[in-house]
Each structure stands twice: as structure tokens, then as C-alpha cells.
């Protein structure tokens, strides 16, 4: 083994030397020799024998792509070990032959989305598993294990993984390896990698007829090194200095690639895109240019303890011949097909989105200086979307039938400079044109390439160039660098050696260096198009809560579908303070570089830019937005508006509640109109009915009964003058009775008042919404215990949601007065009577009483009951 490693290292050194000398034929000869050497050793090391009856089946449920990537990598590793294996989305369980319950070995890799929900490609399988009609021994012939992915910032951490594991056990399955629960909040690798290391010995124990000893298995795991993909190409000629330089007029202009560009022009274009990326990062340049310093103290040394190299699993082929009807015009605009044939069974999805246009936009915040926004200043954008199909008044039923609480998934294009840089480099190195067509290979489960598309479309919407890559991807990218410095930089980023930990924390965790930026920094990094599209993770949709009621904009053709929806979100833009360590990373920068790295969100920055172009008149056609509806399952308002609601939504967390209160108001308006129509009429002879005064009073009583229940809203922000979003809308809803109590808190104003004012504490603005709620603790307790209110929390899940929950617990410990009239008709409602028992509220009282506050344990138990019954729901993000 040591001799093999030494020979490989010598061969690799020869490759790098021959590359720098320009002797490409020698490079290819050494590369082929090394590949053959590794191919032979792989065949020896991975000779784990397994019977065909012991096929490994991996099912994944993935919302963001992490679970899918882990599942596919697991199957790829199994195949290298000689283990027959297959991978499917969980919802394809009905296509399995043999059937799911007949599979001998099952591995579930499943994430949790929303409030403990199954991902969209796993929900059908989960409903099937939960059927109570199943026999208790349905899975008795199956051995299984589960790897769950979740986030501890949410209440139901790894709910799907835990649920699948429990249900498989209930159905008679035998767990052959313990359940793993990985936390996105602290880093999935901390659990996933150790779980995978222990998985293979556990799987090996199940095999039938194997002659491999445990020591052989251990040797396999230690000695594995995958064969290296060698890409052949012609030696490049240096660019001519007198070439005519080409440059896109705007960052989003992609028509430059429709020209017949020389190699020198492509090199100049590539450099221009790279420099724009570095400038956007906030990296000032010295006269000599940017000279990254990742070889400092490491030149000539080998990076140790690299992750195991696995071969890139090819998912697609890229056909160089371009379809004549295709044109590359802009990196901003949707270039995919306009999908129209949606049904209830086949709604818009991330793979096949529907299209909407941006109709209007405005800022909900005010600039601090009263003029324009400064870099990094907090701003919230309100966007109105037009759901009608272009040139018609028709609305797709799947979009127009949204309800308050639903969210939409938006497919924002990758940063224009990222896409342009990669396209220029691919065309210069391999002659690959942006018009090239991407074809998915057969038996590939990745749906993002299922529809025929061009390379530019795939790079814009199907791969994630914005993400900070994981170690496995960095390790694979190392093999596509021709420069030793670039390769060593990537190796240091993915090494498991503790001496590189500080460097990794700076670049990956503090800087959040992105894939597109890595391409700009590593100028020799150039995987072929098919390998690149197969290697990179999928681009993830960005989800936004809908901030409107569908009743506010009905279709003009008389249908019940809505034609508009509105969104509100903060524009993500901030600086990362790197300090002295940042200067060490880029020693070629001038002294003006203060260690600040500029970061922007992908979707919100795109929204802001195109909306500003619309507002300034630079863009005449409304931007087209690919999106799909993400229906809510629990975050819904009560079926009847008579039930009280308490909504807690600081910052942009208030957005869905604007839709909640607007919808309740419009529902009540519809109900009143229907009552008035029912109580009015004419005799058949055409004589109008003249109601007496008593009857008119009865009609009025009938019309006004069961009106809107109490609606309380808790909202907070930093400054009342600049951050009080939807102020006018809240006041309007309050004036119309949809909101009858508004809790407000302004954290920075409270700090200023506390420091400068001598007023009593009770006169100061509340700092946080939790303080505002606790100031009204008896009333909040009465609303929850006597009013049986529904409680909703929306916003930051790391701190706010936990603090709001603690505030509710504290409020429920307060005593309050209650009269028989306040019990009202709810005591006759079966669900309310049961809740009264849980809340220690008497069903009958002769006169006003003081109800003692609950203990902390009783308060927690009541909130737990409300949560189980869908009366206490959180929609939070981290």
C-alpha cells in the first residue's frame, strides 16, 4: 500500500511538472498511467461480495438537495465496493420491483421541512407507511436504517427521520444500524461522516457468502482512492495582445456569447468577469493585481488527510451542436420553456415552474439619511406579482387558489458574473457553446435536467453557484485544477488535518466563500461541462410567505381565482469582518483593504435590481419570475373568523399576518353581504317587502352575529421612523376591526430612550415584542385560556421564536378576572370545553371570579396541547 501511494505521488508530480512545461502529450501519458494504476487497485480493494438477493436500496426525501446528494453518494460508494445498489426518491416507492416491503435492505435518507413535514418528494411514501391498515409484519423481511437531516432551531428536529425509523420498526422491520440525526444548524458533516463510517461494517455484517474478513474491510476503507478522470484537450496558444477586446455592456447581458469569439477575446472576457466578481466581494486591487496568498508557508509541501476521492457520477451529456432557435440574451431573464399544462396532480414544481411577472414594487422601509439607501443599510421590499398568463386574463388554478399562510418557491438566477465566467472558461478550454443542449442520462433520478435545456439555462437555474461548497465537492474540484497553487488552496479547504482548521473557518465559515468566487480565484479550475453539471449541487428555491389575501384580487373572468399576490422580504446584504486574517489571505491587495468582505443574498439582490430597473425606466418589459406554490399544512387561519387569533411577527415575520387579517376582514364582508341578500327579497308580484322595526332589528342581529373574533398582532422592529413596515396597512386593518389590539416594540428607539430620557420605565418604548406581551400578561392569559385563541409565530427561529414561547409561558402564569359573560357561547363548543379543562377554566360560574395563573408546567402542557391540535403554530427560519 505504501509503495502504491509513493508511486502515485511521483506520477502526480510528473503530471504537474509536464503541465507547467507545456508538454501536453507527456501529461496525458502520465495521467493515463496513473488512472490505470488506480483502476487496477480499485478492482482489488473493492471486492466485497454480496448476493444479488442482498441488493441495497436507498430512498431519499430531500427538499433542498442535501439528502439526495448524500443518498446518491452512498450508492456510488456502494457500487465501488461491489455492492449492488439503487437509489430513488421516496415517492417512487410504487415503481420498485420487487416492491418496497420485499426489499431486503433499505436505507432512508430523509430531511424534515416546515413544521415537521415530509419533503415534497417523500410525502406520498410517508402517507403510505403511516396507513393503519397495514399488517404488523409488513416489513418483517426487511432490514433497514435511517439517516435523518434536520435543524435544532425548529421544534420538530428530524421529525421525519425519527418518524420513519419508528414506523418501520412498528411494521416489523429490523433495524441493522442505529438512527442518525444530523443537525444543519451545527453542520451536517459532524454526524453524517461518522454515521457513514460505521455504516459499511454494519452493512458488511448482513452480506451473504462473503469471504472478506473484517481486517480486509478496514483495509479497504483506509486504502481507497478512486480513479482519476483525465480530460483530453489541445494545448492552448497564448492570447494575442492586439485582439479586439469584447465586453458585455451590462453584467446581465449574455448576447456577447452569440459572437464568434477568438481565444484571446474569450480570455479577456473571462478575466473581466473574474475581476467584477472580486470587486463585488469588496476586494481592492493593487497595481500589480490581486495575488492570493494561499501558498504562504505551504509551497512545496503536500496537504495531508484529504477526504476520500470519489469519482464524479455523470448525470448528463452536453451536446455541442446548438439548436438554431435558441438565443442567449440576458442572464436575468427566464430562458426555459413557458410551461402551461398544469393539473392538480401535476402542479408547478421546482423542475417545471409556472411563470409570473413583477407588476409593481416599493420599499416598505425608509432610508436613514432620508435620501437613498447606503450600502448594507436595512431595507424591506414589497413586490406585487401578476399571476395572469401573458396576453390573457387566465390564471393557473394551482397559483390562483392560494390561501393565506401559503408560500411560494422562487427560482432566482445565479449571479450573472458567475454564469458568464464559467461559460467563458468552458468555451475557451473545450469550445463548449452556451447554446449546447443538456441531456440527462437514462436511469438518473435527478429531475432538474429532465426537460431538455441549454447549458446557459442549466447554469442559471439548475446548479447552485452561490453556495459554500462542502468538503466532498472541494475534493473533487481539486482534480480539475492545472495550477498547483489552485489545487493546494482547494486541498487546504477540504483537508481533515487540524492544522488547516483556522484557514477553513476563515474562508468557509466566516467568509462563506461561494463556488462562483472560487472559480474567480482559481483561474485554472475548469471541469468539463458534463462533469460540472453533475458535480455541483442543485440550485435551491427561495421561499417567501404570501402577504395578501386571494380575495383581494379576483380574476376578471368571474372565476374564484386570484390574479395577484404580494411578497415582502428583507434585502440580504452585509459585510463580514475578517480582520488581520483577511489581509493574510490576500497579501497582494493594497492597504485600503480593511478585511471586509461584502456578501449579498441571491434572490433578494436580484429582486431589488430588477425592481429598481423597472422604477427607473431602464426595463420596459416586466421581469418574468419562475415560481411554484408551496401549500401550507398547519400555518392556516381558523376556518371561521369568529375564533380569536394572536399573531407574533417581528420584522418581515409580519408579512403572512397581513394576509391573515386582510382575509378575515374580506371573509366577514362576504358573510355580511350574503346575510343581507338572504334577508332581502320581493314578492312574486314585484312588491318589495316592508319590514317592521322589530323585524329589521332581527335582520340586523342576524347579519352581525358571529363577526370577527378578536385579532391581536405583536410587531417589532429597530426604529419606528425607518423600519415600521406595513404601518399604514396595520392602521387600516385596525380601523376596520380586523385588528383590535396592536403590540408594538422598537428595540433601538427603546435603547436610545433608556439612555437619554428620564421618563419612567413604563413610558419608554418596548424593546422587544416579548416585553410588550408580558406587559399585558393577564389579558394574554385570558385570550388563550378563556378565548381559546389560535397562536401564530413567524420570523427568526434561532432566538425570537424561543423568546416568544417563553413569554407566552410567563403570561399564562398571570391571574385574571373572568365573568360568566366572557365565557359566552364557547362553553357549548365541544373543542372549547375540552380546552377549558386543560386550561383549568370552570365551565360554569355564577359571578365574576379571579382565575389563578397556571404553574410553569401547566402552561407548557397547555401550549403543547394547542400545538398538537394545530392551534399553536410556528413558521420560522434560521
Amino acid at each position: 500500500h505504501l509503495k502504491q501511494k509513493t508511486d502515485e505521488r511521483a506520477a502526480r508530480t510528473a503530471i504537474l511538472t509536464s503541465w507547467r512545461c507545456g508538454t501536453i502529450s507527456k501529461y496525458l501519458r502520465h495521467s493515463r498511467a496513473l488512472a490505470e494504476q488506480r483502476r487496477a487497485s480499485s478492482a482489488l480493494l473493492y471486492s466485497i461480495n454480496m448476493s444479488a438477493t442482498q441488493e441495497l436500496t436507498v430512498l431519499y426525501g430531500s427538499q433542498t438537495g442535501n439528502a439526495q446528494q448524500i443518498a446518491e453518494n452512498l450508492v456510488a460508494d456502494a457500487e465501488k465496493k461491489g455492492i449492488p445498489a439503487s437509489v430513488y426518491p421516496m415517492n417512487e416507492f410504487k415503481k420498485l420491483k420487487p416492491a418496497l416491503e420485499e426489499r431486503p435492505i433499505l436505507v432512508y435518507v430523509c430531511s424534515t421541512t416546515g413544521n415537521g413535514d415530509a419533503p415534497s418528494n417523500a410525502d406520498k411514501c410517508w402517507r403510505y407507511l403511516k396507513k393503519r391498515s397495514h399488517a404488523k409484519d409488513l416489513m418483517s423481511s426487511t432490514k433497514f436504517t435511517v439517516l435523518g437531516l434536520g435543524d435544532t432551531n425548529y421544534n420538530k428536529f428530524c421529525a421525519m427521520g425519527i418518524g420513519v425509523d419508528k414506523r418501520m420498526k412498528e411494521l416489523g422491520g429490523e433495524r441493522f444500524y442505529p438512527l442518525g440525526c444530523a443537525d444543519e444548524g451545527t453542520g451536517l458533516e459532524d454526524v453524517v461522516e461518522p454515521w457513514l463510517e460505521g455504516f459499511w461494517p454494519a452493512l458488511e455484517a448482513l452480506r451473504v457468502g462473503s469471504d472478506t474478513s473484517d481486517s480486509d474491510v478496514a483495509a479497504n476503507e483506509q486504502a481507497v482512492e478512486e480513479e482519476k478522470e483525465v480530460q483530453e484537450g489541445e494545448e492552448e496558444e497564448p492570447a494575442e495582445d492586439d485582439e479586439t477586446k469584447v465586453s458585455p455592456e451590462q453584467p446581465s447581458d449574455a448576447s456577447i456569447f452569440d459572437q464568434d469569439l477568438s481565444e484571446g477575446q474569450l480570455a479577456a472576457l473571462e478575466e473581466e468577469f473574474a475581476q467584477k466578481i472580486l470587486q463585488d466581494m469588496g476586494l481592492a486591487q493593487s497595481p500589480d493585481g490581486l495575488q492570493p496568498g494561499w501558498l504562504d508557508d505551504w509551497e512545496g509541501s503536500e496537504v495531508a488527510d484529504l477526504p476520500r476521492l470519489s469519482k464524479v457520477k455523470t448525470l448528463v451529456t452536453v451536446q455541442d451542436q446548438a439548436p438554431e432557435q435558441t438565443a442567449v440574451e440576458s442572464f436575468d431573464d427566464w430562458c426555459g420553456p413557458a410551461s402551461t399544462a398544469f393539473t392538480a396532480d401535476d402542479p408547478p414544481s421546482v423542475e417545471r415552474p409556472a411563470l409570473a411577472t413583477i407588476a409593481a414594487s416599493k420599499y416598505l422601509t425608509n432610508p436613514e439619511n432620508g435620501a437613498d439607501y447606503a450600502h448594507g443599510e436595512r431595507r424591506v421590499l414589497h413586490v406585487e406579482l401578476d399571476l395572469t398568463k401573458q396576453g390573457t386574463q387566465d390564471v393557473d388554478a394551482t397559483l390562483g387558489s392560494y390561501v393565506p399562510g401559503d408560500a411560494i418557491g422562487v427560482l432566482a438566477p445565479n449571479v450573472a458574473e458567475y454564469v458568464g465566467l464559467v461559460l467563458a472558461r468552458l468555451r475557451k478550454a473545450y469550445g463548449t457553446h452556451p447554446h449546447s443542449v443538456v441531456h440527462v442520462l437514462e436511469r438518473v433520478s435527478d429531475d432538474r435536467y429532465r426537460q431538455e435545456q441549454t447549458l446557459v439555462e442549466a447554469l442559471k437555474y439548475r446548479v447552485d453557484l452561490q453556495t459554500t461548497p462542502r468538503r466532498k465537492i472541494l475534493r473533487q474540484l481539486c482534480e480539475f485544477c492545472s495550477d498547483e497553487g489552485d489545487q493546494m488552496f482547494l486541498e487546504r479547504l477540504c483537508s481533515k488535518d487540524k492544522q488547516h482548521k483556522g484557514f477553513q473557518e476563515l474562508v468557509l465559515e466566516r467568509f462563506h466563500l461561494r463556488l462562483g468566487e472560487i472559480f474567480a480565484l482559481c483561474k485554472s479550475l475548469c471541469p468539463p461541462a458534463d462533469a460540472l453539471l453533475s458535480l455541483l449541487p442543485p440550485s435551491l428555491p427561495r421561499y417567501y410567505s404570501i402577504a395578501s389575501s386571494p380575495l383581494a384580487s379576483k380574476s376578471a373572468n368571474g372565476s374564484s381565482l386570484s390574479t395577484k399576490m404580494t411578497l415582502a422580504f428583507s434585502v440580504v446584504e452585509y459585510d463580514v469582518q475578517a480582520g488581520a486574517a483577511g489581509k493574510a489571505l490576500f497579501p497582494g491587495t493594497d492597504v485600503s483593504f480593511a478585511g471586509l468582505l461584502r456578501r449579498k443574498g441571491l434572490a433578494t439582490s436580484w429582486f431589488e435590481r430588477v425592481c429598481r430597473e423597472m422604477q427607473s425606466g431602464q426595463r420596459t418589459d416586466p421581469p418574468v419570475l419562475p415560481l411554484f406554490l408551496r401549500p401550507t399544512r398547519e400555518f392556516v387561519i381558523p376556518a371561521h373568523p369568529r375564533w380569536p387569533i394572536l399573531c407574533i411577527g417581528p420584522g418581515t415575520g409580519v408579512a403572512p399576518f397581513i394576509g391573515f387579517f386582510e382575509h378575515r376582514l374580506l371573509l366577514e364582508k362576504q358573510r355580511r353581504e350574503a346575510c343581507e341578500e338572504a334577508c332581502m327579497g320581493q314578492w312574486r308580484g314585484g312588491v318589495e317587502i316592508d319590514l317592521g322595526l322589530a323585524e329589521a332589528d332581527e335582520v340586523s342581529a342576524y347579519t352581525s352575529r358571529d363577526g370577527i373574533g378578536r385579532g391581536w398582532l405583536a410587531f417589532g422592529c429597530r426604529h419606528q421612523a425607518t423600519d415600521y413596515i406595513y404601518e399604514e396597512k396595520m392602521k387600516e386593518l385596525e380601523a376596520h376591526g380586523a385588528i383590535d389590539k396592536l403590540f408594538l416594540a422598537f428595540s433601538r428607539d427603546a435603547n436610545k430612550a433608556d439612555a437619554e430620557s428620564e421618563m419612567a420605565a413604563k413610558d419608554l418604548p418596548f424593546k422587544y415584542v416579548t416585553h410588550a406581551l408580558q406587559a399585558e400578561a393577564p389579558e394574554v392569559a385570558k385570550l388563550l385560556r378563556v378565548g381559546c385563541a389560535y397562536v401564530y409565530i413567524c420570523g427568526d427561529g434561532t432566538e425570537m421564536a424561543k423568546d416568544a414561547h417563553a413569554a407566552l409561558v410567563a403570561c399564562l402564569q398571570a391571574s385574571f378576572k373572568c365573568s360568566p359573560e366572557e365565557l359566552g357561547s364557547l362553553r357549548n363548543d365541544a373543542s372549547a370545553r375540552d380546552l377549558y379543562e386543560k386550561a383549568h377554566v370552570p365551565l360554569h360560574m355564577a359571578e365574576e371570579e379571579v382565575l389563578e395563573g397556571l404553574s410553569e408546567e401547566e402552561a407548557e402542557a397547555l401550549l403543547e396541547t394547542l400545538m398538537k391540535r394545530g392551534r399553536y403554530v410556528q413558521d420560522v427560519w434560521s
Side-chain angles (χ1 to χ4, degrees):
H1 172 62
L2 290 175
K3 183 178 185 303
Q4 174 194 343
K5 293 290 288 184
T6 303
D7 293 343
E8 287 182 4
R9 187 178 295 113
R12 181 178 172 186
T13 303
I15 290 171
L16 293 173
T17 303
S18 61
W19 177 275
R20 284 197 289 273
C21 294
T23 55
I24 192 68
S25 59
K26 189 175 181 181
Y27 161 74
L28 292 174
R29 188 165 61 253
H30 278 289
S31 297
R32 293 191 189 100
L34 179 57
E36 287 297 327
Q37 185 181 50
R38 288 181 172 175
R39 191 177 294 115
S41 62
S42 295
L44 173 65
L45 294 172
Y46 282 132
S47 57
I48 298 180
N49 299 315
M50 268 187 110
S51 167
T53 61
Q54 292 290 295
E55 179 184 358
L56 172 67
T57 304
V58 181
L59 300 177
Y60 65 83
S62 182
Q63 194 69 37
T64 63
N66 288 331
Q68 178 179 348
Q69 186 178 21
I70 293 171
E72 291 176 346
N73 290 339
L74 190 150
V75 168
D77 290 345
E79 291 173 347
K80 300 302 180 295
K81 296 175 182 291
I83 302 174
S86 55
V87 60
Y88 307 91
M90 288 176 64
N91 278 354
E92 293 188 6
F93 71 99
K94 289 186 177 179
K95 300 178 182 179
L96 298 180
K97 294 182 180 180
L100 178 68
E101 54 270 21
E102 297 172 358
R103 294 271 161 164
I105 305 176
L106 281 176
V107 177
Y108 292 91
V109 183
C110 192
S111 63
T112 301
T113 184
N115 193 26
D117 300 327
S120 56
N121 60 1
D123 53 354
K124 295 177 182 178
C125 180
W126 178 229
R127 287 197 296 271
Y128 171 77
L129 290 175
K130 289 195 298 182
K131 284 184 178 180
R132 292 300 166 186
S133 58
H134 287 320
K136 292 184 177 181
D137 59 350
L138 178 71
M139 296 290 180
S140 59
S141 60
T142 300
K143 297 176 176 61
F144 75 94
T145 186
V146 180
L147 175 60
L149 310 184
D151 191 329
T152 49
N153 290 312
Y154 294 81
N155 285 332
K156 298 182 179 180
F157 171 65
C158 277
M160 276 301 302
I162 295 171
V164 170
D165 179 80
K166 179 181 178 182
R167 187 57 181 153
M168 286 292 294
K169 195 69 178 174
E170 291 173 348
L171 294 174
E174 179 185 343
R175 186 192 302 113
F176 73 89
Y177 186 57
L179 165 70
C181 292
D183 183 9
E184 176 73 28
T186 58
L188 295 176
E189 295 92 344
D190 293 346
V191 172
V192 173
E193 291 184 2
W195 190 89
L196 290 174
E197 288 176 4
F199 169 79
W200 298 112
L203 180 65
E204 175 65 9
L206 298 178
R207 67 186 177 86
V208 177
S210 172
D211 297 327
T212 307
S213 66
D214 292 340
S215 60
D216 292 333
V217 175
N220 291 347
E221 295 299 319
Q222 180 180 2
V224 70
E225 199 161 325
E226 301 298 335
E227 70 179 72
K228 182 178 180 181
E229 290 282 333
V230 178
Q231 303 298 333
E232 297 191 17
E234 298 181 359
E235 185 174 2
E236 299 178 353
E237 297 292 335
E240 298 291 338
D241 294 335
D242 58 351
E243 294 266 18
T244 302
K245 184 178 179 182
V246 294
S247 176
E249 295 182 4
Q250 299 291 336
S252 60
D253 182 16
S255 60
I256 190 69
F257 287 103
D258 288 329
Q259 303 178 24
D260 186 14
L261 302 175
S262 68
E263 188 173 317
Q265 289 174 320
L266 284 169
L269 190 61
E270 176 190 351
E271 180 64 21
E272 183 171 351
F273 278 122
Q275 291 302 325
K276 286 180 178 178
I277 293 172
L278 299 177
Q279 291 170 10
D280 197 50
M281 293 167 67
L283 300 179
Q285 294 186 62
S286 66
D288 297 330
L290 186 69
Q291 300 295 328
W294 43 72
L295 277 181
D296 291 354
D297 303 325
W298 299 97
E299 191 167 7
S301 63
E302 183 174 349
V303 180
D305 202 10
L306 294 176
R308 179 162 50 90
L309 176 64
S310 58
K311 181 180 177 181
V312 177
K313 179 182 178 182
T314 304
L315 305 177
V316 298
T317 59
V318 179
Q319 178 183 344
D320 286 337
Q321 184 177 1
E324 296 180 359
Q325 70 273 16
T326 313
V328 184
E329 296 180 356
S330 171
F331 291 131
D332 279 338
D333 294 330
W334 172 250
C335 56
S339 301
T340 55
F342 296 115
T343 64
D345 295 329
D346 185 23
S349 63
V350 64
E351 295 83 15
R352 198 169 66 102
L355 303 179
T357 55
I358 298 177
S361 64
K362 65 178 181 180
Y363 285 110
L364 297 176
T365 47
N366 299 311
E368 293 182 6
N369 60 11
D372 199 4
Y373 290 97
H375 166 69
E377 188 176 344
R378 176 177 170 78
R379 51 199 185 274
V380 176
L381 195 62
H382 169 92
V383 177
E384 181 180 300
L385 302 181
D386 185 353
L387 305 181
T388 56
K389 299 174 184 176
Q390 274 191 318
T392 71
Q393 290 299 313
D394 296 333
V395 181
D396 185 81
T398 55
L399 290 179
S401 58
Y402 71 88
V403 299
D406 283 349
I408 60 166
V410 172
L411 277 65
N414 276 308
V415 176
E417 289 84 359
Y418 296 175
V419 179
L421 172 62
V422 174
L423 287 174
R425 190 167 295 177
L426 289 175
R427 189 167 178 185
K428 185 182 69 151
Y430 305 106
T432 308
H433 197 278
H435 293 162
S436 300
V437 180
V438 178
H439 297 284
V440 68
L441 298 179
E442 294 183 5
R443 300 181 63 83
V444 171
S445 60
D446 196 330
D447 291 332
R448 54 183 164 154
Y449 303 124
R450 188 64 58 194
Q451 289 185 311
E452 184 176 289
Q453 56 197 281
T454 61
L455 176 61
V456 66
E457 180 188 351
L459 287 174
K460 282 171 61 176
Y461 290 103
R462 300 306 180 188
V463 297
D464 192 351
L465 296 173
Q466 182 87 353
T467 187
T468 299
R470 300 185 184 278
R471 281 180 177 174
K472 184 179 181 67
I473 293 178
L474 289 169
R475 179 67 185 94
Q476 291 170 316
L477 289 177
C478 293
E479 303 303 301
F480 298 104
C481 291
S482 57
D483 179 77
E484 184 180 11
D486 292 344
Q487 188 175 44
M488 189 170 293
F489 170 59
L490 297 179
E491 287 179 347
R492 288 178 64 188
L493 287 179
C494 66
S495 173
K496 298 180 181 179
D497 194 329
K498 292 183 179 179
Q499 64 179 323
H500 302 300
K501 186 176 181 181
F503 181 73
Q504 294 168 356
E505 288 177 350
L506 170 69
V507 176
L508 299 180
E509 298 179 21
R510 194 186 302 181
F511 279 175
H512 295 290
L513 199 65
R514 296 160 178 172
L515 273 168
E517 295 165 346
I518 288 176
F519 272 91
L521 293 170
C522 300
K523 298 185 179 182
S524 71
L525 174 60
C526 190
D530 54 352
L532 182 65
L533 295 180
S534 302
L535 174 63
L536 297 185
S539 181
L540 305 180
R542 272 58 175 178
Y543 292 100
Y544 300 97
S545 298
I546 299 173
S548 58
S549 166
L551 301 178
S553 57
K554 287 300 181 184
S555 177
N557 59 13
S559 74
S560 60
L561 302 176
S562 177
T563 61
K564 307 282 185 183
M565 70 168 58
T566 61
L567 314 173
F569 48 82
S570 296
V571 178
V572 179
E573 184 179 270
Y574 60 95
D575 289 333
V576 178
Q577 179 68 50
K583 292 186 71 66
L585 183 62
F586 301 103
T589 57
D590 59 23
V591 292
S592 67
F593 176 54
L596 286 177
L597 203 64
R598 188 174 302 162
R599 304 282 77 182
K600 292 182 179 180
L602 176 64
T604 59
S605 295
W606 177 85
F607 265 119
E608 183 179 43
R609 181 161 53 79
V610 297
C611 287
R612 282 193 170 188
E613 290 173 359
M614 288 180 61
Q615 294 167 2
S616 64
Q618 291 178 297
R619 177 184 286 266
T620 55
D621 296 329
V624 177
L625 184 68
L627 51 78
F628 58 96
L629 189 67
R630 185 184 186 182
T632 184
R633 297 176 182 175
E634 295 182 343
F635 201 71
V636 293
I637 57 177
H640 198 289
R642 70 186 176 92
W643 289 102
I645 60 173
L646 169 61
C647 301
I648 305 171
T652 53
V654 77
F657 300 142
I658 297 298
F660 275 26
F661 288 109
E662 182 182 48
H663 196 69
R664 281 162 63 93
L665 184 63
L666 294 174
L667 280 177
E668 173 61 12
K669 180 182 178 182
Q670 283 187 348
R671 189 193 67 81
R672 284 178 173 270
E673 290 174 352
C675 289
E676 289 173 358
E677 290 178 4
C679 295
M680 295 175 65
Q682 293 181 335
W683 294 104
R684 290 182 180 176
V687 181
E688 293 186 1
I689 304 173
D690 184 14
L691 298 174
L693 182 59
E695 291 183 72
D697 291 341
E698 290 180 9
V699 170
S700 177
Y702 175 75
T703 303
S704 60
R705 72 176 185 175
D706 291 338
I708 302 178
R710 281 171 290 176
W712 291 9
L713 174 61
F715 169 77
C717 59
R718 295 180 179 181
H719 300 287
Q720 182 175 5
T722 58
D723 303 320
Y724 191 175
I725 65 174
Y726 286 121
E727 179 180 5
E728 294 181 3
K729 187 68 175 180
M730 290 184 203
K731 291 179 178 178
E732 176 188 334
L733 292 169
E734 191 175 19
H736 286 87
I739 298 176
D740 58 7
K741 199 172 189 65
L742 190 58
F743 300 89
L744 296 174
F746 307 102
S747 59
R748 301 295 171 85
D749 293 344
N751 289 340
K752 182 178 179 181
D754 197 19
E756 300 178 358
S757 176
E758 296 181 357
M759 294 186 298
K762 63 184 179 63
D763 296 325
L764 298 178
F766 289 109
K767 187 173 183 179
Y768 300 119
V769 291
T770 51
H771 300 156
L773 288 170
Q774 288 178 275
E776 301 278 352
E779 292 301 312
V780 173
K782 183 187 292 187
L783 186 73
L784 297 183
R785 294 176 61 188
V786 178
C788 300
Y790 285 69
V791 182
Y792 303 90
I793 296 176
C794 183
D796 172 44
T798 54
E799 298 295 339
M800 184 280 299
K802 299 173 184 176
D803 292 342
H805 178 86
L808 292 175
V809 172
C811 288
L812 286 171
Q813 297 177 59
S815 302
F816 58 87
K817 293 181 180 180
C818 180
S819 65
E821 293 76 21
E822 287 176 310
L823 290 177
S825 60
L826 286 181
R827 67 182 116 191
N828 298 321
D829 185 284
S831 61
R833 286 201 307 270
D834 186 48
L835 287 175
Y836 280 172
E837 181 180 349
K838 301 285 185 183
H840 301 283
V841 174
L843 292 176
H844 303 284
M845 59 176 63
E847 56 186 15
E848 186 177 72
E849 296 182 15
V850 175
L851 298 186
E852 295 297 328
L854 303 178
S855 67
E856 182 177 352
E857 293 75 16
E858 291 171 336
E860 289 281 8
L862 177 60
L863 292 177
E864 181 67 22
T865 299
L866 295 178
M867 187 175 293
K868 289 180 178 179
R869 299 188 183 185
R871 288 175 171 264
Y872 175 30
V873 189
Q874 296 183 358
D875 183 9
V876 297
W877 55 84
S878 57

